[in-house]
Amino acid sequence: MFSIQPMSRRTGRSAVAAAAYRSGSRLADERTGVVHDYTRKRGVVHTEIIAAAGITPPDREQLWNAAEAVEKRRDARVAREYLVALPHELDANQRLALARELAGELVERYGVAVDLAVHAPDPAGDQRNHHAHLLATTRRLNHDGLGEKATIELSDKKRRDMGHGRGADEVTMLRQRWESMANAALERADIAARIDCRSLADQGVDRVPQIHVGPMGTEMQRRGSPELSDRAMLNRQIIETNAEIQELRERLDVERAFAEWAEIAPAIPPSPALELPEAMPSLAADAELAQARESARMDSQERVEQSIADRHQLQIRGERRALERAQAKLEAREWEAGRVPTEVRVLEECERSWRADKQRRERLWERHLAAVERQLMDEVRAEAAWNRVEGELDRLTQSHIDVPDDAGQPQVPRERHETATAEASPELYRASRLLQLPREIREAEVGLATVEADFAAIGDGWLRRRARRDAMARVEAARERIVALQTEAQALRNLTITVPESERATRHDLAEEESAPGYSGPVSLRPISPPRRGGPGF
């Protein structure tokens, strides 16, 4: 047996865990924080780390933690395992030398570091099951640590660019190289047995190949319950089918021998010593015997064809069961690693997205309520300030009373009111205008956002050029309006108002009058109509 298996994070594999199990040691995985302790594992005969000549390999924990750390992708291959069955005809030293020879071949060819572990058969299992695990890094090991990827890890396209063949051809070459090394070791030990890396079909052997049972199926067989393992039961059926095919083949050989004898018997001259006292069979008896032989031959051929069909069905069922078990193992590893199958992951992702969207909407709604509350408070404060401004206007603009209209209602236009306020008290006008400007700037910013949204919704296209030009003009006008309001606000803040001496004396007299006992406020000859609600700027 010679199998090659890459170890990928996509399937939940860990190079540190694999090295700890195969070497029977205790290793800490720095990436996951898990400590893998297999010091109680039995059957580990020999372990060592082999590197290229002149390079001192790090210890096992440092090597495989470095192999995990250098790979950044979540589906990266972190190691590659070569599992070989050592010939049981060899002794322990010969098997170890053969395993070291294969590890040296891998190191020399790919420049990687190989963690070699030789295992003995389980006491309750097949005593011929001597095997070795060769765990190789996916990157070349040099004096500075792990470097570039080994050539066997590259894609076929990159291998072609570098002048190498396909990856499948590389695996075939490794199998042939192992066959040569193992047969050479058997020959040196004067053992006639040989191994063949070819399949039974390529060897021309009409026998159904058995499948690898694996550790779980082997454990079930040892406990006396092989019916729980699909692989073990399939192997049992394959063995029975092979025995039946062998029996039918032997019967066919016997039938062929009888047929050949019947063909050459008439040409052999009779011998007096072989003459029987009884009479020779009649022609009817010969015909009956030939018919029986033909019937047996046809029956044997049908049974062979049926056995071959059963063999194919067993192979199909075995492949299907292997896929099902692989899927079940994958899901089990995902659950153990803290991950979940695809359907559950999708549901959790949808629920997480819904909750995030709900929290985002709640935050937006809270900000909107806070903005509305601030706006209401601003309006309340602005109205209170405007009421104070109206009181000052009543006091300062007694000489600016309008004549009533035909309906008898006094009228104070907005422009006249602002002009009167500016003429009566520039300081009061600046205060009232500074109260109005923030509201006007906010309204202008809202208008700018609206026209920008309209401009973005128009889209591109030759037929929309005019609409885009008009929308752009509105956007520029809104921006200019905001800039003008901000400039006015800044100018009012920086404005220095000089109050004349007469104004100061008047204000001093008014302050003394207001502070005198019995003062009930300014005397108004006629009520002054306030400016319309909503303006200026409110």
Side-chain angles (χ1 to χ4, degrees), residues 206-225:
D206 187 14
R207 189 171 73 244
V208 182
Q210 299 183 28
I211 62 175
H212 183 63
V213 177
M216 298 299 294
T218 304
E219 184 66 23
M220 293 176 185
Q221 286 180 330
R222 292 170 185 169
R223 295 179 180 178
S225 57

Side-chain angles (χ1 to χ4, degrees), residues 200-482:
L200 295 178
D202 294 338
Q203 298 178 37
V205 178
D206 187 14
R207 189 171 73 244
V208 182
Q210 299 183 28
I211 62 175
H212 183 63
V213 177
M216 298 299 294
T218 304
E219 184 66 23
M220 293 176 185
Q221 286 180 330
R222 292 170 185 169
R223 295 179 180 178
S225 57
E227 66 278 356
L228 299 179
S229 172
D230 294 339
R231 290 176 174 267
M233 293 303 297
L234 181 58
N235 266 351
R236 177 177 294 184
Q237 295 177 8
I238 290 175
I239 293 172
E240 294 175 357
T241 302
N242 286 335
E244 187 176 0
I245 291 175
Q246 182 64 25
E247 181 183 358
L248 294 175
R249 187 180 294 111
E250 293 175 356
R251 291 183 58 183
L252 285 176
D253 293 340
V254 172
E255 293 293 334
R256 292 193 188 98
F258 273 112
E260 293 176 358
W261 174 256
E263 291 178 357
I264 65 175
I268 299 176
S271 175
L274 296 177
E275 291 182 357
L276 298 177
E278 291 88 1
M280 295 297 293
S282 61
L283 295 177
D286 292 342
E288 184 178 355
L289 179 60
Q291 184 178 1
R293 289 176 177 174
E294 182 67 19
S295 176
R297 187 182 67 79
M298 295 295 295
D299 182 54
S300 299
Q301 185 175 0
E302 290 178 359
R303 294 187 62 186
V304 169
E305 293 177 354
Q306 183 63 33
S307 298
I308 294 174
D310 293 342
R311 178 184 65 185
H312 292 318
Q313 291 297 325
L314 286 174
Q315 291 177 346
I316 294 173
R317 288 200 298 269
E319 293 175 356
R320 186 180 69 250
R321 291 173 180 173
L323 290 175
E324 292 175 354
R325 291 180 63 84
Q327 180 67 22
K329 290 180 180 179
L330 177 59
E331 293 182 358
R333 282 196 295 267
E334 288 181 346
W335 280 107
E336 293 174 359
R339 298 190 298 271
V340 292
T342 306
E343 295 80 2
V344 182
R345 286 200 300 271
V346 171
L347 291 176
E348 289 186 353
E349 186 65 27
C350 292
E351 184 178 0
R352 188 161 49 250
S353 176
W354 175 79
R355 288 183 177 178
D357 186 62
K358 180 181 178 182
Q359 294 176 358
R360 185 170 59 255
R361 290 197 303 269
E362 290 177 352
R363 290 194 298 269
L364 290 175
W365 180 248
E366 291 176 357
R367 286 199 293 267
H368 176 70
L369 291 179
V372 171
E373 184 178 359
R374 287 195 300 270
Q375 184 178 358
L376 291 176
M377 293 300 297
D378 292 343
E379 291 180 355
V380 169
R381 286 194 293 269
E383 186 173 0
W386 183 250
N387 290 335
R388 291 195 299 272
V389 170
E390 287 182 341
E392 290 292 332
L393 290 176
D394 288 341
R395 186 170 62 85
L396 296 174
T397 60
Q398 295 295 329
S399 60
H400 298 278
I401 301 174
D402 291 338
V403 179
D405 58 1
D406 298 338
Q409 299 293 335
Q411 306 224 353
V412 182
R414 178 176 180 179
E415 295 77 5
R416 173 74 177 279
H417 186 275
E418 294 180 356
T419 303
T421 304
E423 293 176 353
S425 176
E427 188 177 355
L428 182 61
Y429 171 77
R430 183 181 66 172
S432 62
R433 189 59 182 159
L434 287 175
L435 289 173
Q436 300 169 12
L437 284 174
R439 178 64 178 273
E440 294 183 4
I441 291 175
R442 285 198 299 271
E443 292 178 351
E445 289 175 350
V446 172
L448 176 60
T450 303
V451 295
E452 285 180 347
D454 295 340
F455 177 75
I458 293 175
D460 299 331
W462 181 79
L463 297 177
R464 299 184 177 90
R465 290 185 302 173
R466 183 173 181 179
R468 289 177 61 83
R469 186 168 58 250
D470 296 342
M472 180 58 71
R474 291 194 297 271
V475 170
E476 294 297 334
R479 291 174 179 171
E480 293 176 358
R481 170 67 175 167
I482 294 175

Side-chain angles (χ1 to χ4, degrees), residues 67-118:
E68 287 282 353
V70 75
E71 304 295 343
K72 304 303 181 184
R73 293 170 58 95
R74 62 181 180 180
D75 59 345
R77 288 196 300 268
V78 294
R80 183 175 291 269
E81 182 186 27
Y82 301 85
L83 177 60
V84 294
L86 301 174
H88 64 90
E89 296 87 355
L90 302 176
D91 59 27
N93 294 330
Q94 292 170 343
R95 288 191 293 267
L96 177 58
L98 180 58
R100 283 176 171 172
E101 184 180 359
L102 176 59
E105 179 80 13
L106 296 175
V107 170
E108 182 181 357
R109 185 173 183 84
Y110 303 116
V112 297
V114 176
D115 192 352
L116 171 63
V118 179

Side-chain angles (χ1 to χ4, degrees), residues 503-528:
E503 180 84 14
R504 293 179 184 177
T506 304
R507 292 186 181 183
H508 179 69
D509 296 339
L510 289 174
E512 290 181 352
E513 180 182 352
E514 291 176 357
S515 60
Y519 176 74
S520 60
V523 179
S524 178
L525 299 178
R526 295 175 59 186
I528 302 175

